[in-house]
Amino acid sequence: MCIRDRYQRRVRGILGMAMLRTLNLMLPRLAQRLSSTGGARAPSRKFCSVASVVLGSAAGLTLVNCQREEPSESLTDDTTTSSMKLSKQELEKMVWQYEFTRSVENFVAACTGAGLVGADVLLISGTGLIGLASTVALCAGYVYSNLTPVHDGVFDEISDQSNELGRLRFVDTPQEMMMLMAMLAQQEVMEENSILPQNHKLTKRCVKVGTRMTEVAEMDFPGGSEWEFFVIDSAQQNAFVLPNGKVYVHRGLMELLDKEGELEVILGHEIAHVQAGHSAERASLMRFPNVVRSMYMLLVWWGVPILMDPGLWQVSLGGRLLFELPFSRLHEDEADAIGVNNLVRACIDPRTALRVWRKMDSGDSVVPTFMSTHPSAPQRLQKMQAMMDAQIGLYASHCTVEKQKVRQMLRQAAKAKRGEGASSWW
């Protein structure tokens, strides 16, 4: 077990003991307040009784979670292969069960946070700041216990390890669930859209270019899943990828990117999202806005006075502006950086990326950047231009014919060394 894992296990134990200590300190004061108040404090009585039960159950669940062994994130070939044969109804049932379990976890967390804030308002400081600080501390400990480094998914030929991107990210979504949700989304996309046949010239071009880019990505999916490329018969200029390696490109974008190297930029960008595991991070981060909304609704229902009550829609908007959109823009920036690196590894001039994103810029967007899921075109081009000098140097030094052959041999040797087993792809 590495040092980070040992510290994360220790943090989980500390969180459990802290919740028990909070419960021990709070129960006597709750009992004293309940015994000394009459019918005039009925809302407080309802709040205290509910909060006591929830705090106790949450502390017990936390301790149980701290003592159990960490589940293995690897999937066997049999498990995933059998899952891929499931019908849409079976996949929907499995995904619903997971989402229900996650909703219960979010509700317990919201009850714990609301209990701490409400108890502080009614019993301790009267402001809720102490309870809010305790809630933030518990959240920070939980986030730390689930931090992992972001990798670009590309294995170094010498060290046989993927490159870290220099930041840590919060991921608590099981890998198996991401695969199941991706397979369900794949079935829905195939049902709701007209897909060009595999013998269509646009599909053949997409598969050829995509295969070239995935060879440099060198990713192994759990359970034998593999990259696949599809063209949607639509005039939209868009592309997207699912976590299980299924890439979809709209016909309109294929027709726009008609010069050599241009389609490689878009496919390299989409592949980069999977390399960095952005879908798992995004699904994990959505836990926090949901918990905050539930906390607010519980405090209102319990009758706890809230200073400067923002309203539910403002709480939801704040969660979107503070969590969903900033991380979405960060993921796009990371995918741009990894995508340009993929171009260099495929010996494609990285300056092609600048030409493609200028072509993609329609110039008619009126949405402010802070409310957008993507960086603005000028910001994107500015960041890409900043990395271009280093990438051009790598392109010039790595892409002679002789060096291409050596690098290909090293990649094949590294892949053979890893064997048939699936590597971590988060």
Side-chain angles (χ1 to χ4, degrees):
M1 182 181 294
C2 66
I3 295 177
R4 176 173 297 277
D5 291 337
R6 288 201 298 269
Y7 274 111
Q8 289 178 344
R9 292 288 298 278
R10 187 173 299 176
V11 167
R12 290 189 177 97
I14 292 174
L15 289 179
M17 296 305 299
M19 294 187 69
L20 280 182
R21 180 61 177 166
T22 303
L23 182 64
N24 291 335
L25 292 174
M26 196 171 295
L27 279 178
R29 303 196 69 169
L30 290 173
Q32 182 181 3
R33 176 58 65 91
L34 286 174
S35 62
S36 61
T37 56
R41 299 299 299 273
S44 299
R45 181 182 297 272
K46 179 175 67 172
F47 157 75
C48 292
S49 59
V50 173
S52 301
V53 173
V54 170
L55 280 173
S57 61
L61 288 173
T62 302
L63 280 181
V64 170
N65 181 65
C66 294
Q67 298 300 324
R68 71 186 182 189
E69 293 293 329
E70 293 294 326
S72 173
E73 291 188 355
S74 62
L75 291 175
T76 63
D77 291 345
D78 293 340
T79 301
T80 308
T81 302
S82 61
S83 299
M84 295 179 70
K85 297 178 181 178
L86 295 175
S87 66
K88 181 180 179 181
Q89 291 74 20
E90 291 171 323
L91 284 172
E92 288 176 340
K93 182 179 179 180
M94 297 178 70
V95 171
W96 179 87
Q97 290 174 343
Y98 163 73
E99 291 177 344
F100 177 78
T101 301
R102 195 168 181 86
S103 298
V104 171
E105 294 174 353
N106 291 344
F107 181 73
V108 171
C111 288
T112 303
L116 291 172
V117 174
D120 181 30
V121 170
L122 298 174
L123 301 175
I124 305 176
S125 69
T127 62
L129 294 179
I130 296 177
L132 183 61
S134 301
T135 303
V136 172
L138 290 174
C139 289
Y142 180 73
V143 168
Y144 175 78
S145 66
N146 289 279
L147 287 179
T148 59
V150 182
H151 295 263
D152 64 2
V154 178
F155 278 79
D156 182 81
E157 294 89 350
I158 305 300
S159 64
D160 196 30
Q161 294 181 352
S162 55
N163 305 314
E164 295 187 10
L165 298 182
R167 77 173 177 95
L168 298 174
R169 47 98 178 276
F170 168 76
V171 174
D172 71 342
T173 304
Q175 179 176 339
E176 181 181 9
M177 286 300 104
M178 290 303 302
M179 293 293 290
L180 290 175
M181 287 189 287
M183 287 186 284
L184 177 60
Q186 177 185 353
Q187 291 193 16
E188 293 174 346
V189 170
M190 301 296 282
E191 291 176 359
E192 297 172 1
N193 296 276
S194 175
I195 307 297
L196 294 181
Q198 291 297 310
N199 59 358
H200 194 281
K201 64 177 183 179
L202 291 180
T203 303
K204 289 182 178 179
R205 178 191 171 206
C206 185
V207 171
K208 179 181 178 180
V209 172
T211 301
R212 179 184 182 186
M213 298 307 297
T214 55
E215 286 178 352
V216 300
E218 297 176 344
M219 282 191 57
D220 297 320
F221 289 97
S225 183
E226 58 186 17
W227 292 101
E228 291 186 73
F229 297 87
F230 304 92
V231 178
I232 298 177
D233 189 10
S234 168
Q236 294 184 33
Q237 297 177 356
N238 193 19
F240 60 93
V241 64
L242 300 178
N244 60 346
K246 312 310 176 190
V247 183
Y248 295 86
V249 185
H250 289 262
R251 171 178 50 80
L253 183 60
M254 294 280 297
E255 295 171 347
L256 175 68
L257 306 177
D258 54 353
K259 293 183 173 59
E260 183 177 356
E262 292 184 341
L263 183 59
E264 284 86 341
V265 173
I266 298 301
L267 294 184
H269 174 91
E270 297 302 331
I271 291 169
H273 280 302
V274 182
Q275 290 175 258
H278 288 157
S279 295
E281 183 180 8
R282 187 161 52 249
S284 301
L285 286 170
M286 290 310 298
R287 176 188 290 272
F288 296 106
N290 293 335
V291 169
V292 171
R293 283 194 296 268
S294 299
M295 280 181 58
Y296 171 80
M297 295 172 65
L298 286 170
L299 289 172
V300 172
W301 178 64
W302 286 341
V304 177
I306 303 176
L307 296 176
M308 300 178 63
D309 186 354
L312 182 60
W313 73 271
Q314 290 175 319
V315 172
S316 301
L317 178 62
R320 179 170 174 79
L321 293 178
L322 294 176
F323 283 93
E324 183 178 353
L325 296 179
F327 279 96
S328 177
R329 293 191 293 270
L330 174 63
H331 293 166
E332 292 299 322
D333 289 337
E334 284 185 350
D336 285 342
I338 300 174
V340 171
N341 188 48
N342 286 340
L343 291 178
V344 173
R345 289 174 62 87
C347 287
I348 299 171
D349 190 338
R351 288 168 291 193
T352 308
L354 294 173
R355 184 175 75 243
V356 168
W357 291 115
R358 289 192 184 101
K359 183 182 288 190
M360 293 285 292
D361 179 21
S362 60
D364 57 358
S365 176
V366 296
V367 179
T369 301
F370 73 93
M371 296 188 67
S372 175
T373 58
H374 289 61
S376 65
Q379 290 177 340
R380 175 173 247 161
L381 290 170
Q382 181 180 5
K383 293 178 181 179
M384 200 168 291
Q385 185 67 57
M387 71 177 79
M388 201 53 60
D389 290 341
Q391 294 293 345
I392 291 175
L394 290 174
Y395 170 71
S397 62
H398 285 75
C399 289
T400 63
V401 176
E402 294 78 8
K403 289 184 178 181
Q404 286 188 58
K405 293 180 179 178
V406 173
R407 288 170 62 83
Q408 180 66 22
M409 291 174 61
L410 287 173
R411 283 199 293 267
Q412 291 176 352
K415 189 172 183 179
K417 180 181 177 182
R418 293 197 300 272
E420 298 299 329
S423 64
S424 175
W425 58 297
W426 297 115

